[in-house]
Amino acid sequence: MENTIKENILTLKDVCISYTPGQNAVNMVTADIQKGLITSIMGPSGCGKSTLLRAINRMHELYPGITITGDIKLNNKDILKMNAIEVRRMAGMVFQRPNPFPTLSIYDNVIAGYTLNGIKKTKDEKDEIVENSLKNVALWDEVKDVLQKKGTFLSGGQQQRLCIARALALKPDILLMDEPTSALDPIATNRIEELLVELKKEVTIVIVTHNMSQAARISDYSMFMYLGDLIEYDTTKKMFTNPQDKRTEEYLTGKFG
């Protein structure tokens, strides 16, 4: 555990999110996320953890009728007032199931963010982005000779690393991960966990996980959410050894959730 005080990269203040008027799925969440660390968001199903994560890169706007109030600032920029595409470049997202674009090659999957956003790059620049992004996720040596094959040709664990490479290619400030290993076997899960610990040197990571032992293994800080409320937020070590709230303790000891 690092004791040095790090700067905040993400600030949440009184964040409320509702799918139906008058009913909050996330209720008045306030928290500061520190740069260069892994922060996990835990809690039982339906507690609002994925809803909160998706608000950070404005995913909710893809669906009608969802309202967000409060402040979400990323690098001191108010993301609720910014262009959504710009926000999604700053906050990369990796989902539960590996989702490489099925019609695209491995190469084109990595640079998809540039293509989709109309960002022009020379062939040499693209080659460099692809190679560096795949090296970042320890996938380059496995795929460098098959870059023109479809991304779906890879194993589940490789596909998820490809999706992480795709998110990293745009050089985001923060990487949001929604249960990124829940569809993977233990060996692939272990590789992704090792990768994330390595990646935090380059990018701040916020990970939603229902796997408490995963949070204990890889995160520096943990949030515990229950019924839309942020119950507790502390260093992972402190939360797991000395939780301050009875509900946190009950969740961590398997009494509910």
Side-chain angles (χ1 to χ4, degrees), residues 2-113:
E2 301 166 36
N3 293 321
T4 50
I5 297 292
K6 294 203 172 247
E7 60 182 295
N8 295 330
I9 190 169
L10 178 68
T11 308
L12 309 171
K13 188 164 190 300
D14 297 339
V15 175
C16 297
I17 306 166
S18 68
Y19 296 97
T20 28
Q23 250 183 316
N24 286 343
V26 167
N27 191 42
M28 299 294 281
V29 168
T30 296
D32 293 331
I33 308 284
Q34 293 183 15
K35 191 173 181 176
L37 299 177
I38 299 176
T39 300
S40 65
I41 308 177
M42 299 180 299
S45 294
C47 69
K49 51 191 190 294
S50 292
T51 299
L52 180 64
L53 191 78
R54 284 161 186 243
I56 298 167
N57 83 339
R58 304 262 296 269
M59 289 289 293
H60 294 308
E61 283 164 43
L62 305 173
Y63 310 94
I66 299 172
T67 57
I68 301 176
T69 58
D71 291 325
I72 304 176
K73 288 199 169 87
L74 182 53
N75 276 336
N76 291 319
K77 292 179 182 169
D78 183 343
I79 68 147
L80 298 178
K81 295 196 174 113
M82 286 170 62
N83 177 307
I85 291 167
E86 186 59 29
V87 173
R88 288 178 202 135
R89 282 187 64 186
M90 290 169 65
M93 187 88 176
V94 176
F95 297 95
Q96 191 165 359
R97 294 198 170 272
N99 62 342
F101 297 118
T103 58
L104 298 186
S105 66
I106 293 168
Y107 183 101
D108 287 337
N109 257 287
V110 177
I111 53 161

Side-chain angles (χ1 to χ4, degrees), residues 36-256:
L37 299 177
I38 299 176
T39 300
S40 65
I41 308 177
M42 299 180 299
S45 294
C47 69
K49 51 191 190 294
S50 292
T51 299
L52 180 64
L53 191 78
R54 284 161 186 243
I56 298 167
N57 83 339
R58 304 262 296 269
M59 289 289 293
H60 294 308
E61 283 164 43
L62 305 173
Y63 310 94
I66 299 172
T67 57
I68 301 176
T69 58
D71 291 325
I72 304 176
K73 288 199 169 87
L74 182 53
N75 276 336
N76 291 319
K77 292 179 182 169
D78 183 343
I79 68 147
L80 298 178
K81 295 196 174 113
M82 286 170 62
N83 177 307
I85 291 167
E86 186 59 29
V87 173
R88 288 178 202 135
R89 282 187 64 186
M90 290 169 65
M93 187 88 176
V94 176
F95 297 95
Q96 191 165 359
R97 294 198 170 272
N99 62 342
F101 297 118
T103 58
L104 298 186
S105 66
I106 293 168
Y107 183 101
D108 287 337
N109 257 287
V110 177
I111 53 161
Y114 290 90
T115 318
L116 294 171
N117 290 313
I119 304 164
K120 298 274 187 282
K121 292 284 176 193
T122 65
K123 173 81 170 70
D124 285 350
E125 285 171 331
K126 286 182 188 172
D127 289 350
E128 191 180 333
I129 290 165
V130 170
E131 183 171 339
N132 288 342
S133 303
L134 290 170
K135 279 180 173 168
N136 263 337
V137 299
L139 196 55
W140 175 250
D141 288 338
E142 294 165 45
V143 303
K144 63 175 188 254
D145 300 323
V146 290
L147 289 174
Q148 294 314 316
K149 278 203 169 183
K150 299 270 193 286
T152 45
F153 139 89
L154 301 169
S155 72
Q158 288 174 318
Q159 285 187 31
Q160 194 62 304
R161 279 187 281 150
L162 176 61
C163 293
I164 297 169
R166 184 175 68 197
L168 292 174
L170 284 165
K171 300 205 167 6
D173 299 296
I174 196 164
L175 189 58
L176 309 171
M177 312 190 88
D178 194 355
E179 302 198 14
T181 60
S182 63
L184 304 180
D185 64 52
I187 292 168
T189 295
N190 186 44
R191 288 202 69 174
I192 300 273
E193 287 181 3
E194 287 173 353
L195 170 66
L196 298 186
V197 171
E198 203 51 40
L199 280 177
K200 72 176 180 180
K201 296 171 189 163
E202 315 280 327
V203 63
T204 305
I205 296 169
V206 179
I207 178 170
V208 162
T209 180
H210 65 281
N211 181 333
M212 287 180 276
S213 52
Q214 180 171 70
R217 283 192 297 269
I218 68 169
S219 65
D220 302 281
Y221 278 79
S222 288
M223 295 181 172
F224 170 61
M225 290 186 70
Y226 183 56
L227 300 178
D229 293 323
L230 177 57
I231 304 298
E232 193 161 341
Y233 177 33
D234 213 327
T235 66
T236 300
K237 187 175 180 186
K238 191 167 171 201
M239 190 180 288
F240 276 80
T241 52
N242 186 22
Q244 300 301 296
D245 190 285
K246 191 166 178 7
R247 289 165 295 184
T248 314
E249 186 181 353
E250 287 177 350
Y251 179 70
L252 293 174
T253 53
K255 293 209 172 67
F256 72 80

